[in-house]
Amino acid sequence: MIRLAPILIALLYGVILWRLSAWRTARELDAKSTELRDPALAEVTGRLARALGVARIPVRIYEVAPVNGLAAPDGRIFLTRGFHDRFREGKVSAEELASVIAHELGHVALGHSRRRMIDFTGQNAVRVMLVTILGRVLPGIGVWLANLLTSLVAARLSRRDEYEADEWASALLVKAGIGTGPQKSLFAKLGRLTGGGGSAPAWLLSHPATADRIAAIEANEAKWGLGR
């Protein structure tokens, strides 16, 4: 039992972190978001809704400056104020913004948002366990190695989710008559919009490289017989 104590403590620590993170996320989103009410986007969101067979797709604006979209663990879809501002400035089209909404809907439909919170629990439990074990076996570098290993696993899982959500979004956009063009054109300009373009290696990034995402979309188009 004593030997199992570090593992049990790690699991308990992970659960507590998960609960705390979920509570903080929900509180933050509730306090800093309002429903999106933009007539200029009503047509494209309506097309997505009809393709899904629902009356409407509720989207909320998260009042932060970075350009991003997100799907909360409870299934709600958010666009940041920064992303909406780029649309109002003419830097992003309505169809491109619809591709973001479709992508986040994909995360919800595929269970990624909720699963990521569960993964977060396991990852932190494993992190604590590895830190405990490797910290004793490899003093000095054990903690660093434990953090690196868990980060690598988390990044790999996240990249897989992004590809799956991209594919789901492509299918929805095609069904809605919008097509995958806006999805690809947004990816091509996303680095400029977000100020990204850092030099972190691809295997450490939580999102796949832009060129790889576009290539995956085009591979799906070929598989589905589009553009022939």
Side-chain angles (χ1 to χ4, degrees), residues 45-90:
T45 56
R47 291 168 75 176
L48 293 178
R50 288 189 293 274
L52 289 172
V54 297
R56 59 188 292 270
I57 297 175
V59 179
R60 297 184 68 80
I61 293 291
Y62 180 30
E63 298 292 344
V64 294
V67 173
N68 209 346
L70 67 95
D74 60 10
R76 290 182 296 171
I77 304 299
F78 294 82
L79 294 174
T80 62
R81 175 61 66 187
F83 222 148
H84 188 244
D85 285 346
R86 299 303 183 278
F87 165 68
R88 296 180 64 183
E89 294 165 2

Side-chain angles (χ1 to χ4, degrees), residues 2-3 6 129-140 142-143:
I2 295 177
R3 292 181 179 179
M129 184 171 61
L130 287 175
V131 165
T132 301
I133 296 172
L134 294 178
R136 293 177 180 177
V137 177
L138 301 169
V143 174

